Amino acid sequence: MKGINIFLADGFEDIEALAVNDVLRRAGLDVCLVSIGEDPFVVSSHGVTVGPEAYLADFDEDHSGTCPEDVMIFPGGMPGSKNLAGCEALIRAMREHYAAGGSLAAICAAPGLVISQLEDLAGVEFTCFDGFQDALIAKGAKFVNAPAVKSGRIITGRSAGHAVAFGLEILKAVKGPEAAEKVRYALLLDTK
């Protein structure tokens, strides 16, 4: 699956999808909001209605030429994370994308519910919302208490409060530390 795609299911966490989208677009990246369903709108866990730019069904299954700068992003939120995890077509696409050399990014509950469906996670470092780490640990992954963690081609974020840090970590992986620092500076993250 080429490009940078944020996958939305009803019940997604607003800030984890939209703040990440904002951070990446501020750096000039082409980001697509993708619904896993067929409805013209997706409703967040806080009742915000978003119109997707594409639908999962629109993507072809050709993963040739996939590279680490191609990122599938999974916001958390309930029941959004459960809805993502229960979408067989999305999980199949995620596995194929990762096997072809693409990157994955998930925040909050999504690492434990979505990323945990990969086969081999031994040695992968990750973070997630408290209580969603067990499925990853059971597969040999190592929990790190940090706002965002990059381990190989997997990037994870802790919670809604760390959505910007998560977005910056994705940006750093795709476009480099200088691009991430420019956006960080533009957001005035370090001013008091």
Side-chain angles (χ1 to χ4, degrees):
M1 190 165 293
K2 308 296 184 304
I4 300 171
N5 300 288
I6 300 176
F7 292 89
L8 303 178
D10 282 333
F12 71 90
E13 173 60 48
D14 309 50
I15 195 170
E16 293 171 1
L18 301 179
V20 169
N21 179 61
D22 181 85
V23 165
L24 299 175
R25 288 185 187 213
R26 281 175 186 264
L29 294 175
D30 185 17
V31 181
C32 187
L33 297 173
V34 182
S35 173
I36 65 165
E38 297 176 0
D39 293 334
F41 299 104
V42 185
V43 180
S44 78
S45 60
H46 299 287
V48 175
T49 301
V50 174
E53 299 162 316
Y55 297 88
L56 179 60
D58 296 337
F59 288 84
D60 65 35
E61 297 185 20
D62 178 16
H63 294 279
S64 61
T66 299
C67 67
E69 289 76 26
D70 297 313
V71 188
M72 293 179 74
I73 302 171
F74 310 108
M78 286 299 177
S81 292
K82 285 184 180 178
N83 291 334
L84 292 175
C87 178
E88 291 179 20
L90 179 66
I91 299 304
R92 182 176 58 252
M94 175 189 71
R95 289 175 177 153
E96 292 170 358
H97 172 83
Y98 189 66
S103 296
L104 305 174
I107 185 169
C108 197
L113 296 176
V114 179
I115 300 292
S116 67
Q117 295 191 52
L118 289 174
E119 296 303 318
D120 184 17
L121 292 167
V124 170
E125 293 185 343
F126 75 96
T127 193
C128 66
F129 195 81
D130 293 351
F132 289 93
Q133 64 272 17
D134 293 347
L136 290 153
I137 291 171
K139 289 193 169 182
K142 298 174 184 176
F143 177 79
V144 178
N145 186 358
V149 174
K150 181 180 182 302
S151 185
R153 291 180 288 114
I154 296 177
I155 301 164
T156 51
R158 188 121 168 85
S159 65
H162 299 294
V164 171
F166 174 64
L168 288 169
E169 196 65 36
I170 296 168
L171 176 55
K172 189 180 349 174
V174 173
K175 215 169 172 184
E178 286 184 20
E181 193 52 42
K182 281 183 182 176
V183 172
R184 179 180 188 78
Y185 179 78
L187 292 172
L188 299 177
L189 287 179
D190 297 320
T191 43
K192 295 180 182 179

